[in-house]
Amino acid sequence: MIKILNFIDGQFHEPKDNLWLDNVLPANGEIYSQLPNSNKSDIDFAYQAANKAFPQWSQTDTNQRAKILSKIADLIEQNIEQFAAAESKDNGKPIKLARTVDIPRAASNFRFFAQAITQFSSESHESVGQNAINYTLRKPLGVVACISPWNLPLYLFTWKIAPALAAGNCVIAKPSEVTPMTAYMLGEICQEAGLPGGVLNIVHGEGQTTGQALIEHPEIKAISFTGGTSTGRHIAKLAGSHLKKVSLELGGKNPNIIFADCDYEKMLDTTMRSSFANQGQICLCGSRILVEQSIYEKFKTDFIARTSKLVVSNPENQEADLGALVSQAHMQKVLSYIKLAKQGQGKLLYGGNRVTIENHEKGYYLEPTVIEIDSLNCELNQEEIFGPVVTLMPFSTEEEALQIANSTEYGLSASVWTNDLKRTMKFTQELEAGIIWVNTWMLRDLRTPFGGLKASGMGREGGLEALRFFTETKNVCIQY
Ligand code: TXE
């Protein structure tokens, strides 16, 4: 059995108190590896290593930092097949998705921030008439924490680590205990790329134990977190009392708003992805589909016909459109929402059942599921299901579409499908979402600010926003 280890001070270590967790294969429910359930002693050890490395790393020429980060990107790309296979196995996602989305993006995260740091300039302000000049220094914070979830394991892990390191911080990072494997593999890549020991420390374990010890550590200067909204609230409270900087990327319940004047075929293709990619376990998935009344029946028929053709299979199958959900607990959560529909909260139009895959009978497979709803105040419209489940609702006017779209506590992303410019401008102004896509979905440019409004988060990641988060400003005023 594979034993995953912590990566601290440039070396692999067993957990100090010898506490371990099982890691389960979503494809068939078997335990296939073990990982440390690290506690305060391991976090202290990682902190000491990070703190020791900080003076030198923060003073390292940015070109040199960029070179090492680019090398990490190269090595991830060179090992793409091993990483994709490991990610697919650990998470349950189809191998083709890991190969084309997750792992390439992990490499891009390092490459992007390696370049971005060399372009990161500080401001200066001449105070005319006062014979003074101000300039603003941007200094790395020190030792920072990055905590990431299981849905896009290496993709989101590196999305936080890369800007933190590029800006000159030392990092203690905790991947999700449900999907630790590719984060473990990243340690070896860092060694090979020549990242000095202690600059990045990867500590494994449960949220309640390892995560909690990390966010409680008094010397950690900032916490960058992606995960569930209730965990985010808990972290924000704690960070508030210690006055730590915090960036939170939380859940979503994103509307996908479809008008009759859209490019129908493109919309339908994209809506298949935005509904079910990664088994619907992406915070950006358009889980609430709102369709203009005049094309509602046609859309319903076409969408269900396409949904019925999706292949649910074991993640290694190159033909799989949907693999396994990440864990039994998560599958039960998703099934509990489907049950609400079966009990009458909505009308189950398609799916709603577990799928049995030959030789993988204990895996966590679900049919892609389509539910029609007619109320805004029900759980199916309000709560993040985070699985291969979408709701459908018709609307008649722009005002009604906006009202439905903005009716939840979340505000992460929204998609609008229309060719009407005036309507586009109205929706981009009035939708309560941090990220709005018009006639597309999940088209990402890493320079753009990424994050949500309302209960979907606090702060922005991406581009210069991330480099600003991971630095502290110091203004200098010189009178001459
Ligand atoms: O997330 P958690 P869970 C949503 C989705 C999902 C729900 C719960 O709706 O069903 O959240 O998922 C760490 N101190 N999203 O329970 O617990 C944890 O170990 C410090 C949306 O898996 O928030 C993991 O590394 N850390 C989301 C990370 O937080 C703690 C992606 C996320 O886990 C901690 C995932 C603590 N006290 C789930 N408790 C998105 N925005 O994309 C947990 N953690």
Side-chain angles (χ1 to χ4, degrees):
M1 175 149 345
I2 309 165
K3 254 193 171 177
I4 288 172
L5 299 172
N6 288 332
F7 180 68
I8 297 175
D9 207 5
Q11 301 299 324
F12 289 96
H13 297 272
E14 297 208 344
K16 292 228 180 262
D17 290 334
N18 206 27
L19 300 169
W20 299 88
L21 300 168
D22 291 333
N23 187 21
V24 174
L25 203 62
N28 65 14
E30 280 169 15
I31 295 169
Y32 85 110
S33 73
Q34 286 198 307
L35 64 143
N37 195 11
S38 311
N39 59 20
K40 190 173 173 304
S41 329
D42 304 289
I43 296 292
D44 284 342
F45 178 30
Y47 176 77
Q48 279 157 23
N51 193 40
K52 190 173 76 190
F54 179 67
Q56 190 161 359
W57 181 247
S58 58
Q59 290 303 314
T60 299
D61 179 349
T62 46
N63 290 306
Q64 177 59 16
R65 275 189 232 147
K67 207 168 152 188
I68 296 173
L69 297 184
S70 301
K71 179 80 181 157
I72 295 176
D74 292 343
L75 290 169
I76 293 174
E77 273 165 2
Q78 284 164 27
N79 292 284
I80 186 164
E81 282 308 317
Q82 291 91 314
F83 270 102
E87 197 73 297
S88 160
K89 204 169 165 181
D90 212 24
N91 170 279
K93 66 178 70 209
I95 177 90
K96 71 180 174 200
L97 192 71
R99 188 188 291 125
T100 54
V101 176
D102 292 75
I103 307 307
R105 174 59 189 275
S108 302
N109 288 337
F110 279 108
R111 201 173 307 291
F112 174 83
F113 284 105
Q115 291 168 350
I117 195 63
T118 66
Q119 310 296 315
F120 189 42
S121 56
S122 58
E123 308 92 75
S124 96
H125 305 272
E126 187 183 1
S127 304
V128 177
Q130 294 175 309
N131 282 357
I133 183 124
N134 287 270
Y135 60 89
T136 308
L137 299 171
R138 286 194 170 269
K139 295 292 193 189
L141 302 171
V143 180
V144 300
C146 297
I147 302 177
S148 59
W150 45 258
N151 57 330
L152 300 164
L154 194 65
Y155 175 133
L156 290 176
F157 194 60
T158 55
W159 178 234
K160 296 178 178 304
I161 290 170
L165 295 179
N169 300 282
C170 290
V171 175
I172 305 177
K174 192 196 91 61
S176 169
E177 62 274 33
V178 187
T179 53
M181 192 57 82
T182 48
Y184 171 51
M185 291 164 68
L186 184 67
E188 247 176 74
I189 298 279
C190 290
Q191 283 177 328
E192 205 179 329
L195 188 72
V199 171
L200 171 62
N201 305 279
I202 301 171
V203 184
H204 297 272
E206 286 172 334
Q208 308 295 341
T209 315
T210 318
Q212 188 66 26
L214 184 52
I215 60 176
E216 277 176 353
H217 195 289
E219 300 302 328
I220 302 280
K221 298 289 185 282
I223 305 166
S224 173
F225 171 81
T226 298
T229 293
S230 62
T231 315
R233 285 202 169 98
H234 169 74
I235 291 177
K237 251 190 232 160
L238 215 126
S241 66
H242 289 103
L243 299 177
K244 290 181 199 297
K245 261 182 131 172
V246 65
S247 163
L248 303 172
E249 207 272 279
L250 309 175
K253 189 74 181 172
N254 313 305
N256 177 15
I257 307 161
I258 300 167
F259 282 94
D261 72 337
C262 71
D263 177 344
Y264 190 82
E265 289 307 318
K266 182 181 174 205
M267 175 279 296
L268 196 58
D269 284 345
T270 310
T271 295
M272 295 313 299
R273 285 195 300 119
S274 66
S275 301
F276 301 121
N278 207 37
Q279 297 74 246
Q281 303 166 136
I282 304 180
C283 54
L284 303 168
C285 275
S287 56
R288 293 187 301 141
I289 306 179
L290 319 181
V291 188
E292 192 168 6
Q293 188 76 60
S294 60
I295 57 163
Y296 186 68
E297 289 305 321
K298 174 177 164 52
F299 174 82
K300 208 157 95 174
T301 309
D302 294 344
F303 183 65
I304 290 170
R306 291 280 295 267
T307 302
S308 68
K309 294 203 183 86
L310 292 173
V311 178
V312 181
S313 184
N314 86 70
E316 283 167 27
N317 181 347
Q318 304 289 342
E319 303 303 313
D321 295 307
L322 281 82
L325 271 74
V326 75
S327 66
Q328 176 148 32
H330 186 60
M331 181 182 67
Q332 292 305 342
K333 173 188 157 175
V334 176
L335 280 168
S336 74
Y337 283 100
I338 294 173
K339 194 167 162 203
L340 289 177
K342 289 181 173 167
Q343 288 168 343
Q345 194 174 100
K347 186 171 164 199
L348 191 59
L349 299 178
Y350 186 82
N353 301 304
R354 283 189 72 168
V355 178
T356 308
I357 307 289
E358 210 183 329
N359 299 325
H360 295 76
E361 284 78 7
K362 293 202 174 130
Y364 314 131
Y365 304 94
L366 282 186
E367 287 175 331
T369 299
V370 185
I371 301 170
E372 188 172 50
I373 55 169
D374 59 12
S375 156
L376 298 187
N377 292 322
C378 60
E379 287 97 330
L380 291 172
N381 184 58
Q382 294 292 336
E383 295 178 13
E384 184 178 46
I385 301 174
F386 218 60
V389 179
V390 288
T391 58
L392 293 192
M393 230 182 178
F395 66 85
S396 301
T397 62
E398 289 182 356
E399 292 312 325
E400 193 189 357
L402 276 169
Q403 190 211 346
I404 303 172
N406 292 338
S407 66
T408 77
E409 67 164 341
Y410 293 107
L412 187 55
S413 72
S415 288
V416 188
W417 292 90
T418 180
N419 280 309
D420 183 320
L421 181 59
K422 202 168 152 201
R423 175 184 285 156
T424 301
M425 301 317 285
K426 179 180 168 71
F427 273 68
T428 52
Q429 292 288 343
E430 295 184 27
L431 279 169
E432 293 167 359
I435 303 149
I436 298 174
W437 282 293
V438 180
N439 297 332
T440 185
W441 175 72
M442 218 172 148
L443 185 65
R444 295 280 292 120
D445 180 325
L446 302 190
R447 293 169 302 178
T448 58
F450 182 90
L453 309 182
K454 305 199 285 188
S456 289
M458 241 169 77
R460 293 293 178 270
E461 301 187 297
L464 297 182
E465 300 279 347
L467 294 177
R468 288 195 189 109
F469 175 74
F470 284 116
T471 51
E472 193 81 89
T473 56
K474 233 188 207 179
N475 192 69
V476 181
C477 175
I478 300 178
Q479 194 168 45
Y480 51 90

